[in-house]
Amino acid sequence: MSAPRAIRKLLVANRGEIAVRVIRAAHELGIRTVAVYSDADRTALHVRGAHEAVRLGPAPPAESYLRIDRIVEAMERTGADAVHPGYGFLSERAAFAEAVEAAGKVFVGPPAAAMRAMGDKLSARAAVAGSGVPLVPGAPLAPEAGPAGWLAAAREVGFPLMVKASAGGGGKGMRRVAAEAEVPEAVRRAASEAVTAFGDGTVYLERYLEEPRHVEVQVLADAQGAVLALGERECSVQRRHQKVIEESPSPVVTPDLREAMEAAACAAARACGYRSAGTVEFLVDARRRFYFLEMNTRIQVEHPITEERYGVDLVKEQLRIAQGLPLSFGARPPEPRGHAIEARLCAEDADHGFLPSTGVLGAVQLPGGPGIRVDGHVYADQEVTLHYDNLLVKLVAHAPTRAEAIARLRRALYETRLPGVTTNIPLILRTLDDPRFVSGRYDTSILEHAAPPPADSDDLVPVVAAALALHRRVRPTSVPAAPAGRSLSAWRAQGRSAWGGPA
Amino acid sequence: MSAPRAIRKLLVANRGEIAVRVIRAAHELGIRTVAVYSDADRTALHVRGAHEAVRLGPAPPAESYLRIDRIVEAMERTGADAVHPGYGFLSERAAFAEAVEAAGKVFVGPPAAAMRAMGDKLSARAAVAGSGVPLVPGAPLAPEAGPAGWLAAAREVGFPLMVKASAGGGGKGMRRVAAEAEVPEAVRRAASEAVTAFGDGTVYLERYLEEPRHVEVQVLADAQGAVLALGERECSVQRRHQKVIEESPSPVVTPDLREAMEAAACAAARACGYRSAGTVEFLVDARRRFYFLEMNTRIQVEHPITEERYGVDLVKEQLRIAQGLPLSFGARPPEPRGHAIEARLCAEDADHGFLPSTGVLGAVQLPGGPGIRVDGHVYADQEVTLHYDNLLVKLVAHAPTRAEAIARLRRALYETRLPGVTTNIPLILRTLDDPRFVSGRYDTSILEHAAPPPADSDDLVPVVAAALALHRRVRPTSVPAAPAGRSLSAWRAQGRSAWGGPA
Amino acid sequence: MSRGTRYFATYGGRERQVEILTRPDGRLEVRVDGAAHPVDVASVGPSGLLNLLMDGQSVTYAARFEDGAAVLSFHDREVRVGIEDERTRLARQATGKAKARGRGAEVTSVMPGVVKEVRVAPGDRVRDGQALLILEAMKMENEIRAPHDGVVSEVRVAPGEAVEKGARLVRLEPPPEDAG
Amino acid sequence: MSRGTRYFATYGGRERQVEILTRPDGRLEVRVDGAAHPVDVASVGPSGLLNLLMDGQSVTYAARFEDGAAVLSFHDREVRVGIEDERTRLARQATGKAKARGRGAEVTSVMPGVVKEVRVAPGDRVRDGQALLILEAMKMENEIRAPHDGVVSEVRVAPGEAVEKGARLVRLEPPPEDAG
């Protein structure tokens, strides 16, 4: 690892909302930024937001955002002295951190050794085993053992179990297995997905806990040796192991449990010589016992809910730590305030098997007002493609109480318009109304048993709305032709005259 | 005043960002909302955000938002049981509150008697005079006294002085007078503006303090008799007496001064039997003496900076108080956190005499991320007209320290795009860089001595940018015709092929 | 006021007649099964959104048309309303009912993606739920399964091929009568 | 590579020649006073914004054209660049210099608004800075003042009239020679 030093120019090796997020933090610290982009992202917000931008290659990640060589070359070309990897892509590849450091540049993240220990879930279990952190029963899996060997390992762990990518995260390379017959196919598919997503097909088995809650603890560790926890995030609202809604504090975590989990998280971080921001994930069972799941050695998608409660900018802290500075707030984190919830707005048809939705965004309308934070990368005319993950916007609501935060998030979702694609907003709204969510008594299966979309009502509004929309379509002669160019007043006038004046 | 009772349906008698703001608070409390609109606002965000909407009349305020009769009629028609007046328009007209209460409905605001006492600046001075609140030297003005009489009153007050509309606010009906010769014209113009803006041409004279800072204190008073202050807001960055940037806490206010000003503000509120949210404005002179200026008996444009620091939703508190509920946070306000700054983004050409700018907004891009709150009413294709004030968006930055809040606001302003109109963003950015602002040592004259826009540099970017933009215009044959309808990919493709691929 | 344009809307299992008339003052009047409803509709912005004021509600929505239905996107849900104008209905009635479906069935892609792997070939017998092919979309691999028992009569895609939503992937014929 | 299109840009008190060429691969090359600059420009969204990558900068801007100049809106400022293509320049040079300005001057409206009051009449002598009329815009009353001493030769608007930005309001002739 190179010695800490001042960062003057930061290359952000990512795209989407997290690239925008990192650029924001850098600019607030007076650090110049360099964006990198694939051909699909030429006009993306992170390209426009950064001071400079360098093309990496064609749209597929393997030819752009996963190209370590091109990213290091872009750092050389622009004179960037540090790189922030965001999440996903190269963020947990120790080889990337090493390549950056070999070029004499700063990697904004943990030491490569800590990434290696924690990035692989198997070695992570080994790393924390000695530190008293409780572990879920599990077993490694040798590819060469073949189906028979896999089955033997599976029997040892017990059913139901999970096949998981060792290098994984975000639900990719993950399969739940209920019975022995499913083991071979699940292992093959998980390994194949893991190769595609992470370039590493190693998978392992882990006991599947019943009614588990997914609760994670945010840690910060600086170069001076301080290791601090900033409370927990409840991440049990998941579909296909992708988090959809996260909240802090967790409704299930008592002050005693929090203290124990924070201590375990700090112990795990110390066990691997951690530095920077990191997240220790736990499963909490129905009896409030917790088990170490993995450590994410990067900034997490859902980090804003911690930031809102603590008034701490975690990305700025990462940048401080990478420069050898101590944490901004001294020896103790600020007192957390209120309750925060994040919803991930994704381009997908949640009511039809969570199918991804693609298209061109129209005039997006994002919410605002008190206690609403928007982290997105959307803009009018943006093409939503299949190349990257389908997260468009993270909405965070912060309020004095959990009930107020839920009400605030609801109203913000009602304000949001992302025309041109189908989003999971209807599902999120129904989840916020789900009695299990409202009571706080839910586990990671909540979305599997989600209420279906409401049945058609006898409300006349849809009937009239459909007729008016068709009327407009079939009677174009009754309206003036849409003017060329941007004569929008005329277009608006058409809307008025065609559809009638005030009631 | 009618007895407090539960509000089930709230009519919002306003437009623009404050109407959107009030609707947000109501929806979070589960209260149904009714918007009212003029013909210019048929598709405005507040109309779309509310559950119901009622047309008031043509665009001019006198025929729509100032029509008490039509608003009360809309309440009757929709069954609204309460009205929130926002700021401006009818918000400080006691007659409006009385008409609402005569109809058996709830006015969300102070008792009409308190509005009358404080709404008129002359009676406000009288009301607080007995409570030990320090007053600026001033004098009433009899219209019938004529120029000679006015001049006599002006001599008594002393020069320089201000002519102010008694019913005024927001810089309207206000004139600074440096010498005797200017008195008659200033009085006539101020009175004329006051008639237009407030329907009341009464004006008065007040001594003009040198190097004054405009600092106001937020108060909340509930029906149970609690009267609390929530710190101050520094509002000295003004142009033509319109606030442009506000911050909290004020860089000039010491803990002792804050305590004294909060006590004076609460005394003023008690002196007029106040209830609801209100703001007591003070001038603070170079020697940190403070003088009562007026009390605004409504929610204030800049209320969000207080909300961000205290974690309190002032509009929700107004709605609670109107229903007879005590303040949500008990006997003491929460501890404030960090520093908050608001910038008012207006459609005006600040570099050319603050001329109003009108037009049709294009694809607006609003900022987000940590510590950024956006209160706006903008949307793509919105027509910005001359009928209403030119406030488009309020940006609020909240951070642990003043320096971080300034840096955060700067980066948020850089993210903001409001194509189609000219805005004051360049002026705001230059002000945030102004050494007087950075040091916190500024007074209400800061914008009078603002730095001019920077001179042209020898940067080649503008040269190339201009040539490329013209090239696109004069060589239309080299690009495919813009496709009809929403084939935006083709349009984007045009942009790519015409302007070259990746460098 | 003259007779307006009639539409037939099917929603919530019920068909209603909607008549849209232009009043002499240029405003629209909407009648649902004969009952007049005051409405006001305005276009919002460049994305084809409409704002409808009706029956004490302010509702903003977008509409697209698919197979004789309007898919309406409200802020919190998508709703499907069968909709037909009078002329279309008369024309359809004159040419008889819609053609009966053929016996075979197409398995179509429910999402855009790239075919990663094809698991079946023409002539294969498949079971309800059996994986026919693997489609990769947004870095997730999705198994496309048989909607019922049958025999593959045609495979229309090959590995590596990009497909749109609704693309026909595999044609399935009903299983022979002796199939269990 | 063939000769490109030439533009003449005046900015910061200096004129530069900008040549834009299309390379064989379809990309553009920009030369400023002969020196090549790698650039990449792309349209962003529906509002005519352009993003320019050049000399280590990512710059997003909108352009409008007024009187032979481009007004460029960057995120933090508006910049005016005189700009002319070669053809226009040649045509202008052929027809001689722009006509000299007439001796009288028009006072134009610097903003859209409604005329509230007219303070002068044809024949009036006015002083530099004297209020000619009152224009109301956004509820503020603004005095439109004489840009120099002169004599009113024509008043083109009346109270109550709505005027656009740039509208001619009053014509001022130079004052008689004896004016102080």
Side-chain angles (χ1 to χ4, degrees):
Chain A
M1 188 206 94
S2 61
R5 59 174 182 203
I7 297 173
R8 279 175 300 270
K9 191 186 274 194
L10 177 74
L11 185 140
V12 182
N14 216 302
R15 66 175 299 283
E17 70 88 15
I18 193 62
V20 174
R21 169 71 186 88
V22 173
I23 289 168
R24 286 172 170 155
H27 288 188
E28 290 181 20
L29 291 172
I31 297 171
R32 275 184 74 83
T33 53
V34 181
V36 290
Y37 63 94
S38 78
D39 290 340
D41 287 334
R42 169 63 185 86
T43 58
L45 271 194
H46 74 285
V47 173
R48 287 186 272 148
H51 292 111
E52 307 177 42
V54 177
R55 176 183 180 262
L56 290 178
E63 300 173 56
S64 49
Y65 298 107
L66 291 174
R67 287 287 298 261
I68 293 177
D69 55 341
R70 294 202 183 153
I71 290 168
V72 173
E73 188 196 311
M75 294 182 73
E76 301 284 7
R77 175 145 44 117
T78 57
D81 42 31
V83 66
H84 193 297
Y87 54 68
F89 293 131
L90 299 171
S91 61
E92 295 184 280
R93 292 254 195 108
F96 179 50
E98 285 161 351
V100 168
E101 283 164 7
K105 315 252 181 212
V106 174
F107 177 81
V108 180
M115 291 171 76
R116 240 179 248 292
M118 288 300 188
D120 181 288
K121 294 184 189 181
L122 292 174
S123 61
R125 289 170 64 96
V128 304
S131 60
V133 178
L135 293 171
V136 184
L141 203 107
E144 63 281 6
W150 304 343
L151 202 53
R155 286 195 190 110
E156 199 175 296
V157 169
F159 292 92
L161 56 77
M162 298 293 293
V163 186
K164 294 189 173 182
S166 195
K172 280 148 199 142
M174 220 184 236
R175 282 286 187 283
R176 182 175 184 272
V177 178
E180 298 191 354
E182 301 166 17
V183 169
E185 174 68 9
V187 169
R188 282 194 204 98
R189 289 258 64 79
S192 167
E193 272 185 28
V195 168
T196 308
F198 316 109
D200 175 356
T202 311
V203 296
Y204 69 104
L205 305 179
E206 198 175 74
R207 180 68 175 277
Y208 182 83
L209 298 180
E210 305 289 346
E211 290 183 39
R213 301 179 71 114
H214 180 130
V215 181
E216 61 190 25
V217 173
Q218 176 70 52
V219 296
L220 280 175
D222 66 19
Q224 285 69 34
V227 180
L228 297 173
L230 285 87
E232 80 282 3
R233 294 184 289 255
E234 164 70 64
C235 306
S236 298
V237 181
Q238 307 184 348
R239 61 104 184 145
R240 293 181 175 187
H241 309 290
Q242 283 269 24
K243 298 163 190 168
V244 179
I245 300 173
E246 302 97 349
E247 59 177 317
S248 180
S250 165
V252 80
V253 173
T254 59
D256 285 356
L257 180 58
R258 179 170 303 119
E259 200 177 311
M261 290 177 74
E262 288 190 333
C266 290
R270 280 196 202 89
C272 67
Y274 204 79
R275 204 183 58 238
S276 193
T279 297
V280 182
E281 297 198 334
F282 298 99
L283 288 181
V284 178
D285 71 11
R287 290 161 58 194
R288 286 203 169 87
R289 291 176 304 200
F290 67 97
Y291 303 93
F292 174 81
L293 198 57
E294 61 176 317
M295 180 163 186
N296 295 315
T297 58
R298 50 163 162 86
I299 193 77
Q300 199 87 327
V301 178
E302 58 272 23
H303 74 276
I305 55 176
T306 299
E307 295 185 324
E308 292 307 301
R309 290 187 65 230
Y310 284 84
V312 167
D313 186 320
L314 293 170
V315 180
K316 279 194 197 170
E317 298 299 329
Q318 286 187 300
L319 291 166
R320 286 179 62 91
I321 294 167
Q323 295 178 85
L325 298 168
L327 298 173
S328 71
F329 45 78
R332 250 217 297 239
E335 274 301 301
R337 188 157 89 177
H339 196 96
I341 310 189
E342 172 183 280
R344 300 189 190 185
L345 277 53
C346 297
E348 65 187 14
D349 192 348
D351 293 340
H352 297 99
F354 294 104
L355 300 180
S357 170
T358 59
V360 175
L361 290 176
V364 299
Q365 188 81 39
L366 296 173
I372 290 298
R373 168 173 169 184
V374 180
D375 279 71
H377 63 111
V378 295
Y379 60 95
D381 277 14
Q382 181 181 5
E383 198 159 343
V384 178
T385 72
L386 286 176
H387 294 296
Y388 312 113
D389 81 28
N390 59 359
L391 175 61
L392 299 177
V393 174
K394 304 186 309 199
L395 288 192
V396 178
H398 184 212
T401 66
R402 183 171 189 267
E404 287 171 275
I406 294 173
R408 188 159 271 176
L409 182 58
R410 275 185 62 84
R411 74 95 182 142
L413 288 161
Y414 271 75
E415 292 176 16
T416 307
R417 280 278 172 185
L418 295 162
V421 297
T422 300
T423 74
N424 60 347
I425 291 176
L427 174 77
I428 296 168
L429 283 168
R430 292 202 306 276
T431 305
L432 297 183
D433 281 341
D434 188 314
R436 293 168 298 169
F437 186 83
V438 172
S439 70
R441 287 188 291 274
Y442 60 95
D443 58 55
T444 53
S445 73
I446 181 169
L447 288 189
E448 287 168 35
H449 313 293
D456 293 348
S457 63
D458 56 1
D459 182 8
L460 287 184
V461 166
V463 167
V464 172
L468 285 166
L470 183 58
H471 188 68
R472 173 186 193 173
R473 226 166 106 103
V474 300
R475 308 202 75 195
T477 52
S478 70
V479 298
R486 298 236 340 118
S487 296
L488 295 159
S489 291
W491 175 252
R492 190 165 25 244
Q494 169 208 329
R496 299 303 307 282
S497 61
W499 304 116
Chain B
M1 188 205 91
S2 62
R5 58 172 181 205
I7 298 173
R8 279 174 301 268
K9 191 187 273 193
L10 176 74
L11 186 141
V12 182
N14 215 301
R15 65 174 301 280
E17 70 87 15
I18 193 61
V20 173
R21 169 71 187 88
V22 173
I23 288 168
R24 286 172 170 154
H27 288 188
E28 290 181 21
L29 292 173
I31 296 171
R32 275 185 72 84
T33 52
V34 181
V36 290
Y37 63 94
S38 77
D39 290 340
D41 286 335
R42 170 63 186 85
T43 59
L45 271 194
H46 74 285
V47 173
R48 287 186 273 149
H51 293 111
E52 307 176 42
V54 177
R55 174 181 182 266
L56 290 177
E63 298 173 56
S64 49
Y65 298 106
L66 291 174
R67 286 288 297 261
I68 293 177
D69 54 341
R70 293 202 183 153
I71 290 168
V72 173
E73 187 195 311
M75 294 183 73
E76 301 284 9
R77 173 141 51 110
T78 57
D81 41 31
V83 66
H84 192 298
Y87 55 68
F89 292 130
L90 299 171
S91 61
E92 296 184 280
R93 291 253 195 109
F96 178 49
E98 285 161 351
V100 168
E101 283 164 7
K105 315 254 181 210
V106 175
F107 178 81
V108 180
M115 292 171 75
R116 241 181 247 290
M118 289 300 186
D120 181 287
K121 294 182 188 182
L122 291 174
S123 61
R125 290 170 63 95
V128 304
S131 59
V133 178
L135 293 171
V136 185
L141 204 107
E144 64 278 8
W150 305 340
L151 203 54
R155 286 194 190 109
E156 199 174 296
V157 170
F159 292 91
L161 56 77
M162 298 292 293
V163 185
K164 294 187 172 184
S166 194
K172 281 151 196 137
M174 218 184 237
R175 282 284 187 283
R176 181 175 184 274
V177 178
E180 299 192 354
E182 301 166 20
V183 169
E185 174 68 8
V187 169
R188 282 195 203 98
R189 290 256 64 79
S192 168
E193 274 185 27
V195 167
T196 307
F198 316 108
D200 175 357
T202 310
V203 296
Y204 68 104
L205 305 179
E206 198 174 73
R207 180 69 174 275
Y208 182 83
L209 297 180
E210 304 290 345
E211 290 182 40
R213 301 180 72 116
H214 180 129
V215 181
E216 60 190 24
V217 173
Q218 176 69 51
V219 296
L220 280 175
D222 67 18
Q224 285 69 33
V227 180
L228 297 172
L230 283 87
E232 80 283 3
R233 293 184 291 256
E234 165 70 62
C235 306
S236 299
V237 182
Q238 307 184 348
R239 60 107 185 143
R240 292 182 176 186
H241 309 289
Q242 283 269 23
K243 298 163 190 167
V244 179
I245 300 173
E246 302 99 348
E247 60 178 316
S248 178
S250 165
V252 80
V253 174
T254 59
D256 285 355
L257 179 57
R258 179 170 304 119
E259 200 177 313
M261 290 177 75
E262 288 190 334
C266 290
R270 280 196 200 89
C272 66
Y274 204 77
R275 204 182 59 240
S276 192
T279 297
V280 183
E281 299 197 333
F282 297 99
L283 288 180
V284 178
D285 71 12
R287 290 162 59 193
R288 285 202 170 86
R289 291 175 304 199
F290 67 97
Y291 304 92
F292 174 81
L293 198 57
E294 60 175 317
M295 180 165 187
N296 295 316
T297 59
R298 51 163 161 87
I299 194 75
Q300 199 88 328
V301 178
E302 59 272 23
H303 74 276
I305 56 177
T306 299
E307 294 185 325
E308 292 307 302
R309 291 188 65 230
Y310 283 84
V312 168
D313 186 321
L314 293 170
V315 179
K316 280 194 196 172
E317 298 298 329
Q318 285 187 301
L319 290 166
R320 286 180 61 91
I321 295 166
Q323 296 177 85
L325 297 168
L327 298 173
S328 71
F329 45 77
R332 248 216 300 236
E335 274 300 300
R337 189 157 88 177
H339 196 96
I341 310 188
E342 173 182 279
R344 301 190 190 184
L345 277 54
C346 297
E348 64 187 15
D349 191 348
D351 293 340
H352 297 98
F354 296 104
L355 300 179
S357 171
T358 60
V360 175
L361 290 176
V364 298
Q365 189 80 38
L366 296 173
I372 290 298
R373 167 173 170 184
V374 180
D375 280 71
H377 62 112
V378 294
Y379 60 96
D381 277 14
Q382 181 182 4
E383 198 159 343
V384 178
T385 71
L386 286 175
H387 295 297
Y388 312 113
D389 81 30
N390 59 359
L391 176 61
L392 299 177
V393 175
K394 302 186 310 199
L395 288 192
V396 178
H398 184 211
T401 65
R402 183 171 189 266
E404 287 172 275
I406 294 173
R408 187 159 272 174
L409 182 59
R410 276 185 62 84
R411 73 95 182 143
L413 288 161
Y414 270 74
E415 293 176 16
T416 306
R417 279 277 172 187
L418 294 163
V421 298
T422 300
T423 74
N424 59 348
I425 291 176
L427 173 76
I428 295 168
L429 283 168
R430 291 201 306 276
T431 304
L432 297 183
D433 281 341
D434 189 312
R436 293 168 297 170
F437 186 82
V438 171
S439 70
R441 287 189 292 274
Y442 60 94
D443 60 54
T444 53
S445 73
I446 181 169
L447 288 189
E448 285 168 37
H449 313 294
D456 294 348
S457 62
D458 55 2
D459 182 8
L460 288 185
V461 166
V463 168
V464 172
L468 285 166
L470 183 59
H471 188 68
R472 173 185 193 171
R473 225 166 108 103
V474 300
R475 305 201 75 195
T477 52
S478 70
V479 297
R486 298 228 349 113
S487 297
L488 296 160
S489 292
W491 174 252
R492 189 164 26 242
Q494 170 207 328
R496 300 302 306 279
S497 63
W499 304 118
Chain C
M1 195 155 32
S2 67
R3 185 171 169 283
T5 313
R6 286 200 179 132
Y7 298 88
F8 300 93
T10 306
Y11 176 68
R14 182 171 165 191
E15 183 180 280
R16 295 174 188 275
Q17 182 187 300
V18 183
E19 191 175 358
I20 301 178
L21 305 95
T22 306
R23 304 201 310 203
D25 62 0
R27 297 181 188 181
L28 294 181
E29 182 173 308
V30 174
R31 293 184 191 159
V32 181
D33 291 341
H37 290 260
V39 302
D40 180 30
V41 179
S43 294
V44 184
S47 296
L49 287 182
L50 297 172
N51 178 262
L52 168 63
L53 301 181
M54 172 186 163
D55 292 352
Q57 292 178 65
S58 171
V59 176
T60 304
Y61 68 104
R64 61 176 199 273
F65 294 90
E66 288 179 358
D67 306 332
V71 181
L72 306 175
S73 296
F74 295 106
H75 54 264
D76 58 349
R77 64 195 166 126
E78 242 180 45
V79 159
R80 205 177 173 84
V81 179
I83 188 86
E84 192 172 46
D85 68 296
E86 198 166 23
R87 221 167 359 171
T88 308
R89 163 158 299 199
L90 292 171
R92 189 168 58 77
Q93 285 169 342
T95 58
K97 302 276 180 197
K99 283 152 280 175
R101 283 193 313 183
R103 290 201 68 219
E106 296 286 347
V107 179
T108 56
S109 177
V110 283
M111 72 187 110
V114 174
V115 176
K116 177 101 178 178
E117 192 183 327
V118 175
R119 294 278 185 83
V120 292
D124 285 3
R125 283 279 290 272
V126 296
R127 290 271 177 198
D128 182 6
Q130 181 180 334
L132 304 175
L133 45 80
I134 309 292
L135 199 67
E136 186 178 318
M138 288 173 173
K139 291 164 75 184
M140 297 289 284
E141 297 188 4
N142 305 275
E143 291 168 340
I144 305 296
R145 298 168 181 278
H148 50 71
D149 293 357
V151 176
V152 174
S153 62
E154 200 174 343
V155 174
R156 301 181 185 276
V157 291
E161 198 171 315
V163 297
E164 291 299 310
K165 184 179 171 183
R168 292 183 296 178
L169 305 171
V170 168
R171 187 174 173 84
L172 278 188
E173 303 299 332
E177 291 305 318
D178 62 347
Chain D
M1 195 154 36
S2 66
R3 185 172 169 283
T5 314
R6 288 202 179 129
Y7 298 88
F8 300 93
T10 306
Y11 176 69
R14 182 171 164 191
E15 183 180 279
R16 294 173 190 275
Q17 182 187 302
V18 184
E19 191 174 358
I20 300 178
L21 305 94
T22 306
R23 303 200 311 202
D25 63 0
R27 298 181 187 180
L28 294 180
E29 183 173 308
V30 174
R31 292 183 191 160
V32 182
D33 290 341
H37 290 259
V39 303
D40 179 30
V41 178
S43 294
V44 184
S47 297
L49 286 183
L50 297 172
N51 177 262
L52 167 64
L53 301 181
M54 173 185 163
D55 292 352
Q57 292 179 63
S58 171
V59 176
T60 304
Y61 68 103
R64 62 175 200 275
F65 295 90
E66 288 179 356
D67 307 331
V71 180
L72 306 175
S73 296
F74 295 105
H75 55 263
D76 57 349
R77 62 194 168 126
E78 243 181 42
V79 159
R80 204 177 174 85
V81 180
I83 188 84
E84 191 170 47
D85 67 297
E86 198 167 22
R87 219 167 1 174
T88 308
R89 164 158 299 198
L90 292 172
R92 187 167 58 76
Q93 285 170 342
T95 58
K97 301 279 181 198
K99 282 153 281 174
R101 283 194 311 184
R103 291 200 67 218
E106 295 287 347
V107 178
T108 56
S109 176
V110 284
M111 70 187 114
V114 173
V115 176
K116 177 99 180 178
E117 192 182 327
V118 176
R119 293 278 186 83
V120 292
D124 284 4
R125 280 281 288 273
V126 296
R127 288 274 178 196
D128 182 6
Q130 179 180 335
L132 303 175
L133 43 81
I134 309 292
L135 200 65
E136 184 178 318
M138 289 173 174
K139 291 163 74 183
M140 297 289 285
E141 297 187 4
N142 306 275
E143 290 169 342
I144 305 297
R145 297 169 181 279
H148 50 70
D149 293 358
V151 175
V152 175
S153 61
E154 199 173 342
V155 174
R156 302 182 185 277
V157 292
E161 197 172 318
V163 297
E164 292 301 309
K165 183 180 170 182
R168 293 184 295 180
L169 304 171
V170 168
R171 188 175 173 82
L172 278 189
E173 303 299 332
E177 291 303 319
D178 61 348

